[in-house]
Amino acid sequence: MALLMFLVSFLCASIGVIYFYFKGVYKYWEKRNVEYLDPIFPFGNMKDVLLARADFGGFLQDLYNRTKDKFFGIYLINRPCLVIKDPELIKTIIIKDFDHFVDRGILADEEYDPLSGNLFSLSGQKWHKLRVKLTPTFTSGKLRAMFPSVITAAENMQKHLVKNLNRNPNENIYEVRDLSARFVTDLIASVAFGITVDSISDPNVLFRKMGQKALEPTFKNGFVTLLSFMAPKLLELLKIKQTPDEVEKFMVSVVEQTVKYRGENNIVREDFMQLMIQLKNSGTVKEDGDWSAENVDSKKQTMTINEITAQAAIFFFAGFETSSSVMSFCLYELAKLPDLQDKVYQEIKQVLDENNGEYSYESLKKMKSLERCMHESMRIYPPAPALVRICTKDYKIPDTNVTVEKGTNILISLLGLHKDPKYFENPKKFDPDRFLPENTAKRPPFTYLPFGDGPRSCIGARMGRLNSKVGLAVLLSSFRFELGPTMGQELKMEASQILMQPVDGIKLKLIPRK
């Protein structure tokens, strides 16, 4: 009995200590005279996200709309975080004074979790050195050389659909997020890993299943992703990997076998993996047009298999999610607007007619209406709904008395910016004309940031846009898209997820064009 009383007393005392600790933390922004939203113990301002009541992007957009100042404070459980709203201040943070906000503050434990050692997650000098090495891998010349792999994957998808569409159009309902993801899986398997995969014909192929396992919108995956920037030390303490063991072993094995096979057989392919092999063997990527890679003594190699795998994996995971999302969201909006869809189709048809029915890297640039539709889709459904930074040294915000302390999280709500009526009139409306040159010129800079900006912007943005544009052009040239019978005029997003993932997917009817 005495032991029970002791345990109860100890538990109550512990809860009390934790409560008063949090109460002290929750005075942080008030003491600094910064506008803030009242936190709730022990969630901070993250209650709805952590309890799976809201998606992260929508939650942050709601906070953005509830505040008036250029920036405001929130609490990520027990971590003070500053949310930036003002476009000029955003520019200052991500470009002008970037040296104060170099890192994302995401855990990168290369020993325990090798795939976390990627360009997206790394910090400081490790990030900078890797960024310099990888920048030449996404030049126009490199993308042009990889284009045949992109178009091959898209045309394989087109042929499969034509072959398998039912004669009864009412039965031709496809989940286009899944369809787009399978297309991107085949494409990135070829370009990033140098292997041939056909998940369009067989959605159960191992490469596709590994991608699903890593990115499926489960509570666990969403929670781990949230913790990776909200409480990275907790992930490190508990030794929780951001990538499941099974996926990590598969990725490492594929890269190891590919690198070994190419080296032993002098195989050269014009793809991302070949560029990684160049980096491994010589420390630099060669000029456009030169895809060769010398075999060197293993002691002189500048990248390990794990480091190559980490870059190939983030290329796969980021490209898989962003490209397939842009495609599926764009198709959804075009399915709601048949006149606009027909306008885009006519443009694609005209470009193809001028190019003897063939797709090329150059001809794709002429599809301006399609490109504007993609931009508008990324405005409403940005690939990542927020930009994340961490203050790496104390920073006084210009023209204020507020000093952001080292270690403070910074968030920029892209959904908030992209749907702010000050910058985008009638923001819920899908209107690609917002991105006509004359309209873009009228808009304040740094109000549209689907891939970020500055030194820490998405290095593969051009590749991602190319993948999406090819996939959309091939699909829209062959099929008309209509909403499936279960689809409404708005999409609800999965709760507790960082990325925007619609509940039950996006089901559209495909009707072959004559």
Side-chain angles (χ1 to χ4, degrees):
M1 186 68 178
L3 178 60
L4 179 61
M5 290 292 292
F6 171 78
L7 290 175
V8 171
S9 299
F10 178 77
L11 181 61
C12 291
S14 298
I15 292 173
V17 169
I18 293 171
Y19 173 77
F20 283 106
Y21 160 73
F22 272 77
K23 192 172 181 180
V25 169
Y26 292 163
K27 295 289 183 181
Y28 186 88
W29 293 121
E30 182 182 354
K31 290 178 181 177
R32 286 159 177 77
N33 294 316
V34 172
E35 181 186 12
Y36 68 97
L37 294 167
D38 290 329
I40 298 174
F41 172 79
F43 305 101
N45 295 100
M46 301 295 292
K47 182 178 179 181
D48 286 345
V49 176
L50 293 174
L51 296 182
R53 295 174 182 171
D55 65 284
F56 180 73
F59 146 81
L60 198 58
Q61 181 193 1
D62 179 58
L63 300 188
Y64 177 104
N65 292 334
R66 284 163 52 190
T67 53
K68 296 180 180 179
D69 289 354
K70 293 181 178 181
F71 52 85
F72 62 93
I74 61 171
Y75 297 92
L76 305 176
I77 305 178
N78 67 327
R79 295 182 69 182
C81 173
L82 199 64
V83 183
I84 310 298
K85 294 178 61 173
D86 178 60
E88 195 59 38
L89 182 55
I90 290 171
K91 175 185 177 181
T92 300
I93 284 175
I94 64 179
I95 294 184
K96 183 180 176 183
D97 294 328
F98 172 74
D99 60 315
H100 288 263
F101 304 94
V102 175
D103 301 335
R104 290 194 170 98
I106 296 173
L107 177 65
D109 187 339
E110 296 171 82
E111 290 187 13
Y112 179 71
D113 188 2
L115 298 195
S116 70
N118 58 66
L119 186 66
F120 183 84
S121 302
L122 286 174
S123 302
Q125 280 301 306
K126 279 189 175 181
W127 165 79
H128 179 71
K129 289 178 181 178
L130 186 59
R131 177 83 184 203
V132 170
K133 284 183 178 181
L134 292 180
T135 296
T137 62
F138 293 102
T139 64
S140 295
K142 299 290 194 306
L143 294 183
R144 187 179 286 105
M146 295 181 200
F147 185 80
S149 295
V150 180
I151 197 63
T152 296
E155 290 179 338
N156 183 50
M157 171 177 60
Q158 177 196 43
K159 291 173 185 175
H160 173 81
L161 291 172
V162 170
K163 180 181 176 181
N164 290 278
L165 282 180
N166 197 292
R167 291 183 180 180
N168 181 355
N170 292 322
E171 296 180 11
N172 295 326
I173 308 296
Y174 276 78
E175 208 290 89
V176 293
R177 270 186 69 83
D178 176 66
L179 177 65
S180 302
R182 284 154 60 191
F183 154 64
V184 177
T185 295
D186 294 354
L187 163 59
I188 297 182
S190 174
V191 171
F193 291 85
I195 62 176
T196 301
V197 172
D198 187 8
S199 65
I200 287 291
S201 298
D202 181 8
N204 293 314
V205 296
L206 189 56
F207 208 98
R208 167 71 176 138
K209 294 182 80 170
M210 290 296 108
Q212 286 178 306
K213 191 173 184 67
L215 295 169
E216 60 186 342
T218 62
F219 177 80
K220 179 184 176 183
N221 281 350
F223 191 71
V224 170
T225 304
L226 282 169
L227 286 182
S228 70
F229 79 90
M230 281 174 42
K233 290 183 179 179
L234 182 60
L235 277 186
E236 188 174 22
L237 179 67
L238 298 176
K239 294 297 180 184
I240 298 175
K241 290 188 176 185
Q242 297 174 57
T243 307
D245 281 333
E246 185 182 0
V247 177
E248 176 194 306
K249 290 175 183 176
F250 171 76
M251 295 286 181
V252 172
S253 174
V254 169
V255 171
E256 201 167 36
Q257 291 176 40
T258 300
V259 171
K260 181 180 179 181
Y261 179 77
R262 291 193 189 185
E264 290 177 350
N265 296 277
N266 295 317
I267 302 295
V268 174
R269 284 192 68 196
E270 297 181 349
D271 59 16
F272 181 80
M273 183 56 65
Q274 190 69 22
L275 302 176
M276 292 297 97
I277 293 172
Q278 287 183 349
L279 280 174
K280 177 180 75 70
N281 289 0
S282 63
T284 58
V285 171
K286 296 189 175 183
E287 294 181 0
D288 290 354
D290 186 353
W291 293 83
S292 62
E294 324 65 32
N295 289 317
V296 297
D297 189 295
S298 60
K299 294 179 182 178
K300 298 179 182 178
Q301 294 180 358
T302 62
M303 288 186 81
T304 67
I305 289 296
N306 280 353
E307 289 171 331
I308 294 174
T309 306
Q311 311 324 313
I314 195 64
F315 184 41
F316 174 49
F317 296 146
F320 173 96
E321 184 57 42
T322 57
S323 297
S324 60
S325 291
V326 171
M327 286 177 61
S328 53
F329 286 131
C330 190
L331 289 172
Y332 168 73
E333 291 294 338
L334 289 174
K336 296 193 294 182
L337 299 166
D339 290 344
L340 176 59
Q341 185 180 162
D342 189 57
K343 176 184 175 182
V344 173
Y345 164 70
Q346 293 298 336
E347 176 191 68
I348 296 169
K349 185 175 181 297
Q350 180 180 341
V351 171
L352 286 174
D353 288 345
E354 293 171 356
N355 204 45
N356 298 318
E358 298 291 329
Y359 292 92
S360 69
Y361 186 79
E362 287 72 23
S363 68
L364 217 66
K365 295 178 182 178
K366 298 178 183 179
M367 300 178 187
K368 299 297 185 182
S369 292
L370 175 59
E371 191 168 300
R372 289 194 291 273
C373 287
M374 288 172 55
H375 279 301
E376 178 68 344
S377 179
M378 289 186 285
R379 180 188 69 82
I380 298 176
Y381 312 100
L387 301 184
V388 182
R389 297 290 186 271
I390 195 165
C391 185
T392 51
K393 51 186 176 181
D394 289 359
Y395 179 75
K396 184 177 180 296
I397 296 178
D399 303 319
T400 74
N401 294 319
V402 177
T403 295
V404 182
E405 293 185 321
K406 179 181 178 180
T408 304
N409 283 74
I410 304 294
L411 282 174
I412 298 167
S413 172
L414 298 191
L415 274 178
L417 283 170
H418 291 186
K419 296 185 178 182
D420 191 327
K422 287 187 298 185
Y423 313 126
F424 299 94
E425 186 179 352
N426 194 5
K428 290 186 177 182
K429 181 182 178 183
F430 188 84
D431 181 10
D433 284 351
R434 300 179 200 274
F435 293 94
L436 287 167
E438 58 270 27
N439 292 332
T440 298
K442 297 175 186 175
R443 198 162 45 243
F446 296 87
T447 54
Y448 175 69
L449 299 165
F451 291 101
D453 207 330
R456 198 106 204 196
S457 62
C458 176
I459 194 172
R462 287 200 298 173
M463 184 71 184
R465 288 194 294 266
L466 176 67
N467 295 345
S468 300
K469 197 170 185 180
V470 169
L472 285 168
V474 168
L475 286 174
L476 290 166
S477 69
S478 303
F479 309 100
R480 183 159 53 88
F481 288 81
E482 296 180 358
L483 293 181
T486 62
M487 298 303 300
Q489 292 295 310
E490 290 189 13
L491 296 172
K492 181 181 179 182
M493 300 300 164
E494 292 278 4
S496 298
Q497 301 299 314
I498 292 286
L499 303 178
M500 302 183 73
Q501 303 187 12
V503 175
D504 296 328
I506 299 174
K507 299 178 177 67
L508 303 181
K509 182 191 298 184
L510 276 67
I511 302 170
R513 295 188 182 276
K514 294 181 181 180

